[in-house]
Amino acid sequence: MLRDPVVGVLALQGDVREHLAALREQGARAVPVRRPDELAAVDGLVLPGGESTTIAKLAARTGLLDPLRDAVAAGLPVYGSCAGMILLADRLLDAPADQVTVGGLDVTVRRNAFGRQVDSFEADLGLDGLPGGPLRAVFIRAPWVEQAGPGVQVLARVVGGPADGRIVAVRQGDLVATSFHPELTGDRRVHALFVQIVRSHLAERAGVHAGNEEVPA
Ligand code: GLN
């Protein structure tokens, strides 16, 4: 039996506590991440909602930006919610020219995409591959995915209204991003999905190591 995965939450700004609690409910050992040595100790990472420009600036200032980029490039499972989706995106629209991202997710994300009139709203969404029916999604000054690369799986789109058809949840390998905030509802299915991704990643790594040990010297 594999150990429980250690899942970090980037804790520079944003709704860190809610994610820590949601991850613990799924059996993960959830820890805040503020420094490169803390990042190095996790099996997966959540980039929370908040203000993406602030989080990116703080990450650069605290020396976390490059380690975050390296970790994503090395295959660390990462889940980005709202501002976290923006941080994972390779390309941004409606962002300050100097806004940097961690990147890794082959998408173009439009910040504050739903417009000022609808700063916040809730909707029921069907999420591909998520059993149990529609999910209540909370959007707060949310981005959407304007364009997704060929390796990106679209998990959910808005249905109806002016944003009909817009992409609001995606997966690319072990990277997951949602425009909305599942940590703010009692529905833990998105966190369960991510913890499962982290567990599988951990099991794969353990398998590789066990395999290596069996090779005679
Ligand atoms: N509008 C915010 C940003 O661009 C994201 C909002 C959120 O995370 N709730 O960073």
Side-chain angles (χ1 to χ4, degrees):
M1 174 73 179
L2 272 176
R3 63 174 172 82
D4 284 332
V6 180
V7 181
V9 180
L10 187 67
L12 301 175
Q13 190 260 341
D15 60 345
V16 175
R17 261 186 319 160
E18 291 83 350
H19 280 288
L20 290 171
L23 290 164
R24 283 176 190 139
E25 283 176 35
Q26 297 311 312
R29 287 174 48 209
V31 293
V33 167
R34 296 188 185 86
R35 299 191 314 260
D37 62 312
E38 292 170 334
L39 176 63
V42 301
D43 305 308
L45 183 71
V46 171
L47 304 177
E51 178 55 45
S52 61
T53 51
T54 304
I55 297 173
K57 272 184 203 147
L58 289 173
R61 200 177 303 160
T62 55
L64 261 174
L65 193 59
D66 284 333
L68 282 168
R69 288 174 172 160
D70 293 346
V72 171
L76 183 75
V78 181
Y79 166 46
S81 164
C82 202
M85 171 192 263
I86 297 169
L87 288 165
L88 269 183
D90 279 344
R91 298 167 298 278
L92 297 182
L93 296 170
D94 290 345
D98 62 349
Q99 181 167 352
V100 293
T101 70
V102 174
L105 191 58
D106 181 16
V107 293
T108 304
V109 165
R110 187 179 292 279
R111 290 186 64 213
N112 303 325
F114 292 89
R116 293 196 178 281
Q117 288 82 346
V118 280
D119 258 1
S120 301
F121 67 100
E122 296 186 18
D124 289 322
L125 296 177
L127 218 87
D128 224 31
L130 207 68
L135 182 99
R136 190 81 182 150
V138 178
F139 295 85
I140 305 168
R141 302 195 68 218
W144 66 43
V145 173
E146 186 109 353
Q147 181 265 334
V152 177
Q153 184 190 357
V154 174
L155 298 181
R157 294 176 187 267
V158 175
V159 178
D164 184 49
R166 291 297 184 179
I167 300 168
V168 290
V170 292
R171 177 171 178 183
Q172 175 193 313
D174 289 345
L175 303 179
V176 179
T178 63
S179 301
F180 50 89
H181 291 269
E183 74 283 7
L184 299 182
T185 69
D187 191 330
R188 292 289 173 252
R189 285 179 290 164
V190 174
H191 288 85
L193 167 72
F194 182 61
V195 171
Q196 190 49 51
I197 289 172
V198 179
R199 282 187 196 279
S200 303
H201 184 84
L202 199 57
E204 231 166 77
R205 296 262 152 138
V208 168
H209 287 298
N212 285 346
E213 276 160 25
E214 278 160 30
V215 176

